Amino acid sequence: MAIAVEFIQPTTWEEALAARSALPGSVPIAGGTDVMVDLNFDRSRPDALLDLTRVDDLREWAEEDAILRIGAGVSYTRLIGELGERLPGLAMAARTIGSPQIRNRGTVGGNLGAASPAGDSHPPLLAVHAEVELASVRGLRRVPVREFYAGPKENVVAGDELIAAILVAPAAGAEQFSKIGTRNAMVIAACSFALSIDPVARRVGTGIGSAGPTPLAAREAEAFLEGVLDERDGWEAPVALGEPAVNRFAELVAAAARPIDDVRSSAAYRREALRVLARRTLGWARGAV
Ligand SMILES: Cc1cc2nc3c(=O)[nH]c(=O)nc-3n(C[C@H](O)[C@H](O)[C@H](O)COP(=O)(O)OP(=O)(O)OC[C@H]3O[C@@H](n4cnc5c(N)ncnc54)[C@H](O)[C@@H]3O)c2cc1C
């Protein structure tokens, strides 16, 4: 039986926000690489689809006052090509997403909208303390990404809001990302980890993917590594951190995870893999640890 789905195609941001406000039950669609899978498998039957692909504003990015504002509709391919040097951690994660076809269509805005704990852009966004700009006819608000995830596949976007952009500072230091899955490409992460070491702000950032109900930051591990780098005067200089400190960092990362057993991995494997990923990314970030 054919079911009618209203298809709304705004061409301006104002029209998109007005349509979202008028039809809060509508499902926004950007690249469609999550939405179309759900429709095809009959997991979702929205009354209305709100197509955002004709809204040019969403595909723009700009740098202002040392902050990059990246429109929610910028594809992974463009992010890698145009912003890869300024956002190496996010670009590393983007390179692991799907296939070239998926990276041509898929967007960080869509990854945030879907809010899957396994989404690959979340760990690097957590590691660099990105902000998400949400908009509605009521106005704008900026939510730290660390407060964005509300539960498995849930976020804090209200029914009348759209994700407008991601705000993030260009990297001031090393950023790394590593993901484990059952093969090297076209794979949903069994777990993933992102690390940022910012010698200017003297801040360590982390992000854990696919090992908890939401993407997570390993806050104790961050504070521990900041303490070690302060104590050893190691923010700028390549001082050795030593095995005990590296092991402790890796243990604290693994301890921050809240993994479950599922089809992709056991909880125990995820925890052990995170220990490895934490050591690996720290080694890459520091040259030698
Ligand atoms: C074959 C395949 C492989 C994949 N591999 C990976 C992978 O390796 N890693 C990974 O993380 N993901 C992967 N994905 C999932 C998907 O590609 C990503 O989540 C992608 O980022 C979704 O972006 P999109 O623009 O296509 O989102 P869409 O499908 O258009 O939307 C996704 C969700 O976000 C909402 N949304 C979109 N834009 C907005 C907006 N501006 N405001 C509010 N809500 C919005 C939609 O309503 C929907 O709920 C894969 C998907 C496929 C089909």
Side-chain angles (χ1 to χ4, degrees), residues 28 30-35 52 76 97-98 102 107 110-111 113 119-120 163 179:
T33 59
D34 281 316
V35 170
L52 298 174
Y76 293 117
I97 292 180
I102 296 295
T107 62
N111 217 222
D120 287 314
I163 302 168
K179 161 175 168 180

Side-chain angles (χ1 to χ4, degrees), residues 76-99:
Y76 293 117
T77 301
R78 283 188 54 212
L79 197 138
I80 293 163
E82 297 168 30
L83 292 163
E85 281 178 20
R86 279 177 269 195
L87 300 174
L90 187 56
M92 263 177 229
R95 282 188 203 98
T96 76
I97 292 180
S99 59

Side-chain angles (χ1 to χ4, degrees), residues 167-188:
L167 294 120
V168 57
E175 292 182 7
Q176 291 292 342
F177 172 82
S178 194
K179 161 175 168 180
I180 288 190
T182 47
R183 54 187 184 207
N184 279 339
M186 287 289 277
V187 67
I188 303 178

